[in-house]
Amino acid sequence: MIETVTINGFASVTLAFLVYLLGAQLTRKVAFLRDFNIPEPVSGGLLVALATMLIYGLLGRAIAFDLAARDYFLLVFFTGIGLNARLSDLARGGVPLAILLVLTIVYVVLQNLVGVAGARLFELPPEFSVLLSSAALIGGHGTVIAWTPRIEELTGGAAGVSELGVAVATIGLVCAALIGGPIAKYLINRHGLTPERPEEENTIGVGFEDEEVETIDHLSFMRVMLWVHVTIAIGISLWEALSYAGVELPPFVPCLLTGIVLGNLIPAVLPRAVEVRRTPTLAMVSDFALGTFLAMSLMSLQLWTLQGMGLVLLVVMGAQVLLSVVFTLFVLFPAMGRGYRAAVLASGFGGVTLGATPTAIANMTAVTKRYGPSPMAFVILPLVSAFFVDIVNSVAIQFFLPL
């Protein structure tokens, strides 16, 4: 009998810090990880996931982590992205935002068609097609788990629904984290691309204007955290109101939007207020939050749930990864203008189509750390992947389930 050992919340967060530092050390030591821009928490997190799988196989013990704190770090990160955004950037990004949305809609359809083909090839119930496509990949673990009861109902209680969906989402998350950097490296080197704003430097790609404006100290850190928490409080209140009205969104979306509003409203209404957007302190807080969130996500993967599904997963996920790479290189990159921003978006698109928005952001962060910032990419991609994709994916799942 399998015994589950649960690591408490405090220990899970502490381990996430260690995982990130381990990944940073690995990235410095291993040329492959460094050359292909693999995010530090991915390197360390996958190593821990492999270790827990080994413990499961040898000792019969499943390691589980209390991830309650993980959502907090996600909210902090996207709130920081929102506070950093300028409405002038959003206005300039109107056309790219629309193009990226259209491309994403097209991709959702293509991804589900691959799922339909995979279900038919392996003679699985047709409802399983969404488990092999957008419900698990674009939707991620949360979406596929939410749809599991409905699929079980439609299939008359077919076995393996939850396991297959979680397996596809898990592999997709890993693949998404691994392909973003190499895609960007290929595009940037082949086309000789450089940042649009080389004077701006920042670990999350949205840049601060003047390095002399602020140094990172306890006051700047406290000021940033105050604004972040105030923004989260308003964003969560908005999320609760929308949920009550029947509008279901991930909690970080209202926080992102609230951050955009406050980040642009406060300087206009209170011109003497100390600015927090485009500052090194906000950049540091956002980078820290993203790294911790991703480390917790990757180290908690239960890779042993993939056993017994080898051939199906190998063939279907191979096709899905191939579709993502080909679509990104030959459709998305040209459509987005073939510039540096297009290359950064290309690194994140795999995270959107195969994994999750934080993975996409982590991919873009790793690229911009090495090659330089691309502010607009960090605004338009989360808006598309976090807001519009959930709506499009919900419609697509309901359409493809009867097929």
Side-chain angles (χ1 to χ4, degrees), residues 318-341:
Q320 293 288 16
V321 171
L322 180 62
L323 173 65
S324 179
V325 172
V326 171
F327 188 91
T328 300
L329 292 177
F330 298 105
V331 179
L332 181 134
F333 179 69
M336 297 305 298
R338 298 179 179 273
Y340 179 73
R341 181 174 63 194

Side-chain angles (χ1 to χ4, degrees), residues 77-148:
F77 172 72
F78 276 106
T79 298
I81 289 291
L83 288 172
N84 251 325
R86 289 194 182 108
L87 289 180
S88 57
D89 285 341
L90 289 174
R92 281 201 310 273
V95 173
L97 181 68
I99 293 173
L100 184 61
L101 175 59
V102 171
L103 294 176
T104 304
I105 292 173
V106 172
Y107 191 89
V108 170
V109 175
L110 294 176
Q111 189 174 76
N112 277 283
L113 290 176
V114 172
V116 170
R120 292 182 177 178
L121 176 64
F122 290 98
E123 299 181 347
L124 298 173
E127 293 82 3
F128 275 37
S129 66
V130 296
L131 299 175
L132 301 173
S133 53
S134 68
L137 296 175
I138 287 180
H141 290 82
T143 299
V144 76
I145 291 172
W147 278 93
T148 293

Side-chain angles (χ1 to χ4, degrees), residues 25-383:
Q25 187 71 13
L26 286 173
T27 300
R28 281 195 293 267
K29 297 291 186 181
V30 180
F32 170 81
L33 300 175
R34 184 173 60 254
D35 292 344
F36 287 93
N37 307 305
I38 304 304
E40 293 93 340
V42 173
S43 306
L46 287 180
L47 189 62
V48 173
L50 289 172
T52 58
M53 183 176 67
L54 188 62
I55 292 173
Y56 177 88
L58 295 179
L59 304 179
R61 294 187 176 183
I63 306 297
F65 298 91
D66 182 346
L67 302 177
R70 182 180 63 172
D71 293 340
Y72 166 75
F73 292 107
L74 183 66
L75 294 179
V76 170
F77 172 72
F78 276 106
T79 298
I81 289 291
L83 288 172
N84 251 325
R86 289 194 182 108
L87 289 180
S88 57
D89 285 341
L90 289 174
R92 281 201 310 273
V95 173
L97 181 68
I99 293 173
L100 184 61
L101 175 59
V102 171
L103 294 176
T104 304
I105 292 173
V106 172
Y107 191 89
V108 170
V109 175
L110 294 176
Q111 189 174 76
N112 277 283
L113 290 176
V114 172
V116 170
R120 292 182 177 178
L121 176 64
F122 290 98
E123 299 181 347
L124 298 173
E127 293 82 3
F128 275 37
S129 66
V130 296
L131 299 175
L132 301 173
S133 53
S134 68
L137 296 175
I138 287 180
H141 290 82
T143 299
V144 76
I145 291 172
W147 278 93
T148 293
R150 176 60 176 161
I151 296 173
E152 290 177 339
E153 178 185 340
L154 292 173
T155 57
V161 174
S162 178
E163 290 78 6
L164 179 60
V166 170
V168 172
T170 300
I171 295 178
L173 186 66
V174 173
C175 292
L178 295 177
I179 68 172
I183 287 176
K185 176 182 173 68
Y186 168 77
L187 292 173
I188 291 171
N189 291 342
R190 178 171 181 178
H191 298 280
L193 303 177
T194 56
E196 299 163 329
R197 301 179 182 181
E199 75 281 0
E200 294 182 352
E201 297 179 358
N202 168 338
T203 55
I204 62 170
V206 279
F208 50 88
E209 295 173 345
D210 188 349
E211 294 181 0
E212 302 300 324
V213 170
E214 179 195 76
T215 57
I216 300 176
D217 57 25
H218 67 286
L219 289 177
S220 67
F221 177 78
M222 192 69 71
R223 186 181 301 115
V224 165
M225 291 305 297
L226 173 62
W227 277 114
V228 167
H229 275 231
V230 168
T231 304
I232 290 175
I234 298 174
I236 291 297
S237 297
L238 176 59
W239 173 71
E240 291 175 345
L242 290 171
S243 298
Y244 182 78
V247 180
E248 296 296 334
L249 292 172
F252 66 83
V253 176
C255 292
L256 170 67
L257 297 176
T258 302
I260 293 175
V261 173
L262 290 183
N264 289 273
L265 183 63
I266 296 302
V269 176
L270 301 173
R272 294 187 179 181
V274 178
E275 182 74 275
V276 297
R277 66 177 178 177
R278 305 292 170 99
T279 61
T281 304
L282 182 57
M284 180 199 70
V285 168
S286 296
D287 204 20
F288 165 76
L290 175 64
T292 306
F293 172 85
L294 201 58
M296 294 183 74
S297 298
L298 271 294
M299 74 185 194
S300 63
L301 292 178
Q302 297 182 331
L303 298 179
W304 58 85
T305 62
L306 307 183
Q307 61 185 356
M309 305 177 185
L311 186 59
V312 175
L313 295 173
L314 178 65
V315 173
V316 175
M317 288 307 301
Q320 293 288 16
V321 171
L322 180 62
L323 173 65
S324 179
V325 172
V326 171
F327 188 91
T328 300
L329 292 177
F330 298 105
V331 179
L332 181 134
F333 179 69
M336 297 305 298
R338 298 179 179 273
Y340 179 73
R341 181 174 63 194
V344 175
L345 286 171
S347 72
F349 194 69
V352 174
T353 56
L354 296 174
T357 301
T359 309
I361 298 297
N363 287 346
M364 296 196 301
T365 299
V367 172
T368 55
K369 276 182 178 180
R370 177 169 183 178
Y371 295 102
S374 181
M376 199 62 244
F378 284 83
V379 175
I380 64 175
L381 186 135
L383 286 176

